[in-house]
Amino acid sequence: MGHRFLQAMGLNTLKKALPRAGIMGAAVLVLLGLGTPQPARASDHADPTNLTDPTANITDLFFYPDGDDMILIFDVNRALLAPKPYDLAPYDYEIHMDLTTPLSFQDAAIRARYGGTVLVPDQIHPDVTIKVKLQDDVTLKSVTYTGLKDTDKIKTYFGVRDDPFVFPRFFKKNVIAMVMRIPKSAFPADQHDFILWGTTAKDGTEIDHVGRSIRTQLPRFGFINTMAPKDQLKALMARKAKLDTIYNYLHSAKEWWAVAAADFLQFTLQLRPYDLQPDVMVYTDRFPVGYPNGRLLTDDVVAQTCAFGDCLLQEISFIEGGWPRATVNDKPFTAEWPYLAQQWPDQKPAPSNAHSVLPWVILGLVVLFLVAWAVVEIIRHLIRHLVRWWWRRVDA
């Protein structure tokens, strides 16, 4: 989804600001500090913020077995309805697989949320990389396979298809789909465990990342959206420590508005104890396939994610989709290649948002500046007159 969301301010700045600004000022500083823009503004699928580069936006990553093959589906460009051609030449679409970093499946809670535990997350690396470049008409320009055998047996599809995400906002919309049927013989013999993630880059600069579905759609994860998986756990731990300190300070204050700011911070941005995992997809053949163990096309990931603590998209699906909540795709998937439903007809793109709030923001700042200037001038004149009065008394 992200990117772009809310960077925690440094603790030194907070400690200096709190005594001067008071609790209300601290709350403002928290919101401003956490609102620092991120280098990129994209995330997988239903990110509630606007995207500045939809062609780079990853929407889905699927990985599941089918007989003697593994099915890999990588989708980009959410809410697509415009006709071809698209500007795809600058983009690299990559899927990475780590086949050797060890996994554990002993922790039931982590397995339910993430499919398994990466035992040495700072050693996550790509043993396999599939790099795709597309023509503007969504035909294949090039595909390179690193770390795979029998690549001549890989079956591929590239085109526009129905968006397979079970979420009302993206019903009757399309995506650019990259589908691969990879024989198991392409992987090392007796390969049981997989760690996967996908990225998009424009002109060599990484823009978007996807691992476990829905993860970076949540506001608190936007800051890891362009980090390599091996670096994410350390960054998550550092961010959690900062936000916990801010939350504890505000929540222990006597003013009600400070406590309210703490509650808002907790709901939107504060990292949970169970968040301290790298953003990757785990798949193993030791257990039945299905989210979060890989991902099937039919998985209702919104409900499954909500069952273990993250319900933002569940609420949005009720708000935008009504009752009962949709639990299947708006078009049935097919048993035939390439499995995704046929695309929706091309449409003229809806006009972009017509108005901007920036003029009102500028006006508000100007008014605030003028009021502050007037107050300072009044105080300055009062002080000057008070000083003159005092000296007249002293002279008398």
Side-chain angles (χ1 to χ4, degrees):
M1 236 185 249
H3 186 43
R4 68 198 176 120
F5 258 119
L6 309 173
Q7 183 170 347
M9 65 186 294
L11 293 182
N12 291 335
T13 302
L14 179 68
K15 291 174 182 176
K16 294 177 182 177
L18 287 175
R20 298 196 302 265
I23 298 298
M24 191 60 175
V28 174
L29 285 171
V30 168
L31 296 178
L32 290 175
L34 292 174
T36 304
Q38 296 294 321
R41 297 195 55 171
S43 188
D44 53 296
H45 229 134
D47 192 321
T49 65
N50 189 38
L51 293 168
T52 59
D53 196 348
T55 310
N57 174 227
I58 303 169
T59 65
D60 297 294
L61 178 62
F62 298 89
F63 191 69
Y64 59 91
D66 184 16
D68 292 329
D69 302 316
M70 298 299 301
I71 306 302
L72 175 68
I73 302 176
F74 188 61
D75 298 328
V76 299
N77 201 330
R78 72 176 191 179
L80 178 64
L81 286 174
K84 305 170 189 175
Y86 314 116
D87 182 22
L88 301 178
Y91 297 92
D92 297 326
Y93 303 108
E94 296 187 358
I95 303 99
H96 307 279
M97 303 182 194
D98 183 339
L99 307 180
T100 53
T101 298
L103 293 165
S104 171
F105 306 98
Q106 298 302 311
D107 189 317
I110 293 180
R111 185 181 152 209
R113 288 191 176 96
Y114 301 105
T117 304
V118 182
L119 293 179
V120 280
D122 61 344
Q123 295 181 20
I124 296 174
H125 61 281
D127 294 307
V128 171
T129 296
I130 302 172
K131 181 177 180 179
V132 176
K133 292 188 73 69
L134 298 175
Q135 306 276 9
D136 290 349
D137 62 356
V138 201
T139 57
L140 179 64
K141 181 177 181 180
S142 67
V143 57
T144 57
Y145 305 101
T146 303
L148 291 176
K149 301 177 293 183
D150 296 336
T151 57
D152 58 315
K153 298 178 182 178
I154 297 175
K155 187 177 182 179
T156 61
Y157 168 87
F158 306 97
V160 177
R161 307 291 284 198
D162 163 67
D163 188 328
F165 187 30
V166 182
F167 194 69
R169 183 177 296 182
F170 302 106
F171 287 171
K172 298 185 178 180
K173 305 289 194 309
N174 299 317
V175 292
I176 295 173
M178 291 161 262
V179 186
M180 302 181 188
R181 189 177 186 97
I182 307 173
K184 293 180 180 179
S185 63
F187 301 101
D190 300 322
Q191 183 69 42
H192 297 286
D193 304 329
F194 298 77
I195 300 171
L196 302 95
W197 67 99
T199 61
T200 58
K202 183 178 183 181
D203 298 324
T205 300
E206 186 174 323
I207 295 178
D208 203 6
H209 168 100
V210 65
R212 193 207 72 175
S213 299
I214 295 183
R215 184 87 185 271
T216 51
Q217 293 169 236
L218 303 171
R220 64 187 190 271
F221 292 118
F223 72 101
I224 65 171
N225 198 51
T226 56
M227 289 184 186
K230 67 181 180 63
D231 300 324
Q232 291 176 357
L233 179 58
K234 183 178 179 180
L236 287 164
M237 294 173 68
R239 176 62 62 91
K240 186 177 187 305
K242 289 182 179 181
L243 293 179
D244 286 353
T245 300
I246 296 171
Y247 170 82
N248 291 333
Y249 187 93
L250 293 174
H251 201 262
S252 63
K254 62 182 180 180
E255 289 84 358
W256 68 267
W257 56 81
V259 178
D263 291 340
F264 176 78
L265 177 66
Q266 181 186 50
F267 178 74
T268 55
L269 300 174
Q270 190 177 19
L271 293 170
R272 288 65 159 149
Y274 51 80
D275 288 341
L276 300 180
Q277 299 290 326
D279 184 23
V280 293
M281 174 187 286
V282 170
Y283 169 73
T284 180
D285 63 8
R286 305 172 196 274
F287 302 104
V289 64
Y291 183 86
N293 182 33
R295 183 181 171 189
L296 296 167
L297 286 170
T298 53
D299 285 336
D300 182 7
V301 295
V302 170
Q304 291 167 280
T305 303
C306 183
F308 293 99
D310 289 316
C311 295
L312 175 61
L313 268 68
Q314 178 98 311
E315 293 185 24
I316 294 175
S317 66
F318 277 113
I319 293 168
E320 298 184 356
W323 175 269
R325 190 185 71 84
T327 59
V328 296
N329 193 40
D330 53 337
K331 274 189 178 183
F333 301 115
T334 69
E336 301 176 354
W337 177 261
Y339 313 119
L340 299 171
Q342 289 288 341
Q343 75 172 90
W344 294 91
D346 293 333
Q347 297 181 24
K348 183 178 180 180
S352 59
N353 293 347
H355 70 272
S356 170
V357 299
L358 187 58
W360 291 104
V361 173
I362 295 173
L363 178 61
L365 292 174
V366 170
V367 171
L368 183 63
F369 172 78
L370 292 174
V371 170
W373 174 81
V375 170
V376 169
E377 285 297 302
I378 292 171
I379 293 173
R380 188 172 66 85
H381 282 287
L382 287 174
I383 292 174
R384 185 176 63 181
H385 287 296
L386 181 62
V387 170
R388 287 178 178 175
W389 173 81
W390 174 256
W391 281 114
R392 282 198 298 269
R393 287 195 58 184
V394 170
D395 291 340

